[in-house]
Amino acid sequence: MEPPVEPRVRRLFGGSARALGDLATSPFRADRDRIVGSPFFARLGGVTQVISPVGSGLLVHNRLTHSLKVAQVARAIAERLIADERHRDLLDELGGCDPDVVEAAALAHDLGHPPFGHLGERVLDRLARHRLGLTDGFEGNAQSYRIVTSTEIRGAATTGLDLTAAVRAAMLKYPWTRLDHPDPHPRLMDPPPRGATPPPDDPDSGSAKFGAYRTEIDDLRQAREPFVGRIPDWQQTVEASVMDTADDIAYAIHDVEDFYRVGVLQQGAVSAELMAWQREAGHLRAITDAALAAAG
């Protein structure tokens, strides 16, 4: 008889942490292999990150190269965290931080994002809600989660990627649904977590960002089960937080590179602005909290 599967490595559709065809011995490395081998990952090579490569003649990033860089940064952060003895007890208390989990989640985090970036996402959301009557509309992060949990990949016999609970939880930058999970919903908090605030032009539509559609709520609960009692229902796991931070770091650097390569950013203008920041740095440091509060 097989030993019980640890909650973090439990899969949706199978009792075993590993399945026929998994080459890696680690279930989290097997998840990474499943993500990289999926057609949705290959599709990201044709999805624009910010700058369209068409006609530029230059190498600019797409969602695939972006995801690879996020995975690289995320794994490095995780490895540094677990190597520092000062953080080990806290990481264990919060549910763990495995570099393989972080890397797999980073590779999967953009699987559901559409062409034309956030503009395309907003258009699809409006069409889904207003024309099709779908309350949840469309959201790229929720679509990524749907792909790995419930999308048919090669016919009805293959549903989702059957990833471990830890990796699915690490994909959840926004571990809530649009309107009603968890209860009370994060958009009602003061202040709400990043992404939970409704869009200003549609305050009744629910959170602007969310990690799963209502159709995947049972999958979300199962993914988060190992973290119950360790972190609040609305809070990212440590692994999700590392992935989210790595995402910000990666695009903050390479988006600027891309803008420079296609001529949107000019060296002279950027240099002048940086020099102005340096000149004003002393003045800004001298501003007191009271003065800032009065100005606000």
Side-chain angles (χ1 to χ4, degrees):
M1 179 182 294
E2 287 190 12
V5 178
E6 291 293 328
R8 276 173 55 86
V9 301
R10 191 175 298 145
R11 299 192 184 280
L12 275 173
F13 308 122
S16 174
R18 294 183 63 217
L20 185 66
D22 287 336
L23 297 178
T25 56
S26 161
F28 304 139
R29 292 294 293 175
D31 281 359
R32 181 197 182 283
D33 295 345
R34 293 177 182 204
I35 293 161
V36 171
S38 77
F40 294 96
F41 187 71
R43 160 194 166 273
L44 295 178
V47 180
T48 296
Q49 172 67 14
V50 176
I51 303 294
S52 174
V54 177
S56 68
L58 296 168
L59 177 62
V60 294
H61 292 80
N62 54 47
R63 288 280 181 176
L64 179 60
T65 54
H66 163 69
S67 296
L68 293 172
K69 289 193 173 182
V70 176
Q72 178 187 35
V73 175
R75 185 176 189 92
I77 294 173
E79 288 178 347
R80 283 176 175 258
L81 282 174
I82 63 173
D84 191 330
E85 293 183 359
R86 296 173 299 174
H87 304 317
R88 288 179 186 171
D89 289 344
L90 179 59
L91 292 175
D92 289 341
E93 181 183 333
L94 295 175
C97 184
D98 189 302
D100 288 336
V101 170
V102 170
E103 182 181 13
L107 290 168
H109 83 284
D110 268 355
L111 291 180
H113 282 267
F116 307 109
H118 295 299
L119 175 61
E121 190 176 19
R122 289 194 292 271
V123 170
L124 286 173
D125 180 50
R126 286 199 298 270
L127 289 173
R129 287 189 294 118
H130 300 316
R131 289 199 183 181
L132 302 178
L134 302 175
T135 305
D136 275 346
F138 179 90
E139 209 282 334
N141 293 280
Q143 190 68 19
S144 295
Y145 197 75
R146 171 172 284 176
I147 284 171
V148 303
T149 56
S150 55
T151 298
E152 291 184 8
I153 294 179
R154 295 181 181 88
T158 309
T159 303
L161 298 179
D162 198 16
L163 304 181
T164 59
V167 170
R168 282 180 284 123
M171 290 177 60
L172 293 168
K173 290 185 182 183
Y174 314 102
W176 53 81
T177 61
R178 186 165 204 150
L179 288 162
D180 52 18
H181 177 84
D183 186 17
H185 195 270
R187 74 182 188 280
L188 305 175
M189 295 173 64
D190 185 21
R194 180 171 65 100
T197 307
D201 59 339
D202 198 356
D204 296 326
S205 63
S207 293
K209 308 298 292 183
F210 54 99
Y213 299 120
R214 195 174 301 167
T215 47
E216 281 71 57
I217 185 62
D218 290 339
D219 302 340
L220 182 151
R221 287 194 176 103
Q222 194 249 30
R224 296 275 302 188
E225 184 181 346
F227 305 92
V228 172
R230 297 176 180 270
I231 55 177
D233 289 341
W234 57 267
Q235 186 171 305
Q236 295 175 335
T237 66
V238 172
E239 290 153 334
S241 185
V242 171
M243 182 274 289
D244 193 7
T245 301
D247 187 23
D248 290 347
I249 291 170
Y251 76 66
I253 294 171
H254 66 56
D255 286 1
V256 171
E257 290 177 346
D258 289 348
F259 281 125
Y260 177 72
R261 284 172 179 157
V262 299
V264 174
L265 290 178
Q266 298 294 326
Q267 184 174 355
V270 173
S271 297
E273 187 162 350
L274 287 174
M275 290 172 65
W277 288 352
Q278 289 176 330
R279 286 195 301 269
E280 297 295 331
H283 172 67
L284 293 173
R285 279 196 297 266
I287 298 175
T288 64
D289 292 342
L292 286 173

